[in-house]
Amino acid sequence: MGAVILHSVVSVDGFIADEHDDVGPLHEWYFGGDTPIRPARDERQYDHSGAGSDFRVSSASAGYVREMWASLGAIVLGRSLFDLVNGWEGQPPAGDHLVVVSHRPKPEGWHPEASCHFVGEVPAAIAKARELAGERAVAVNAGQVGGQVLAAGLVDEVAMDVVPVVFGTGKRYFGALEGRQLLADPHVVIQGEGVLHLRFKVRR
């Protein structure tokens, strides 16, 4: 099976959005570059609001983002993010399957063609995502659900796209995670334009 990767764009002080779920400048690097990103599975692109858009990053980031997106088979996210982006209208930027951690069911009539699964508990959600992804990786969106997955010992790697902005307060990358989690030295360090890509393996 592929790795389970906790991932998000994040401010230098560890926030993925402000208190009102506004990402501010965190995603600007996705659209301000000169190199388009074309996942192998689909040329249609969606920004974080679900509207159609082409991702264009710097040449320094392009290879990393393409490889990361191509490696993903499924995305695990919380209900708040699903509702915020309306599940990317069933067409997430990467991965073929969505697994939503929620005790509430999928909205009635919502994109029946999409592979989108609602699972009540974190371990079951990761198991479902790994089943769907097969040999490909599973991405877990950072935040409350991501912190719970890390605390449960189910994360293999932490991937952070660090943007040079300080939020001060807001939604934390690791949610309400308590306790110490040890990571190995970063095995990916790529400096893009307006973003620093880092990946760490989780120490067991």
Side-chain angles (χ1 to χ4, degrees):
M1 287 186 175
V4 175
I5 305 169
L6 178 60
H7 174 251
S8 188
V9 183
V10 61
S11 69
V12 294
D13 55 343
F15 295 99
I16 58 174
D18 69 13
E19 296 93 335
H20 306 290
D21 292 311
D22 185 350
V23 298
L26 287 180
H27 291 183
E28 288 179 0
W29 66 274
Y30 270 133
F31 307 101
D34 56 7
T35 307
I37 299 301
R38 299 292 187 190
R41 68 168 185 87
D42 198 339
E43 292 193 354
R44 289 171 297 173
Q45 303 301 322
Y46 296 83
D47 65 18
H48 71 276
S49 68
S53 179
D54 280 341
F55 288 100
R56 302 183 69 90
V57 302
S58 70
S59 57
S61 293
Y64 172 74
V65 175
R66 285 192 189 115
E67 182 178 352
M68 167 75 102
W69 286 5
S71 74
L72 300 179
I75 296 176
V76 176
L77 64 157
R79 183 60 182 256
S80 294
L81 180 58
F82 175 86
D83 289 342
L84 184 66
V85 302
N86 196 27
W88 297 284
E89 302 295 342
Q91 292 283 343
D96 298 314
H97 312 278
L98 293 177
V99 179
V100 183
V101 181
S102 176
H103 291 290
R104 289 183 287 143
K106 180 164 58 176
E108 186 174 353
W110 184 88
H111 292 286
E113 79 286 355
S115 177
C116 184
H117 309 265
F118 283 63
V119 180
E121 303 295 339
V122 160
I126 296 299
K128 181 64 175 179
R130 298 194 81 164
E131 173 192 337
L132 293 167
E135 297 301 315
R136 298 167 74 190
V138 171
V140 180
N141 276 96
Q144 287 295 95
V145 167
Q148 292 171 22
V149 177
L150 181 62
L154 299 173
V155 172
D156 299 306
E157 294 185 37
V158 172
M160 309 177 89
D161 299 319
V162 184
V163 172
V165 61
V166 175
F167 272 38
T169 60
K171 305 294 179 71
R172 295 185 177 278
Y173 182 98
F174 294 105
L177 178 70
E178 296 181 356
R180 185 175 299 162
Q181 298 284 333
L182 295 178
L183 307 178
D185 289 340
H187 62 95
V188 172
V189 181
I190 297 173
Q191 182 175 337
E193 295 178 14
V195 64
L196 178 65
H197 308 288
L198 300 172
R199 284 178 70 167
F200 310 82
K201 293 190 183 297
V202 176
R203 292 186 184 180
R204 300 300 187 192

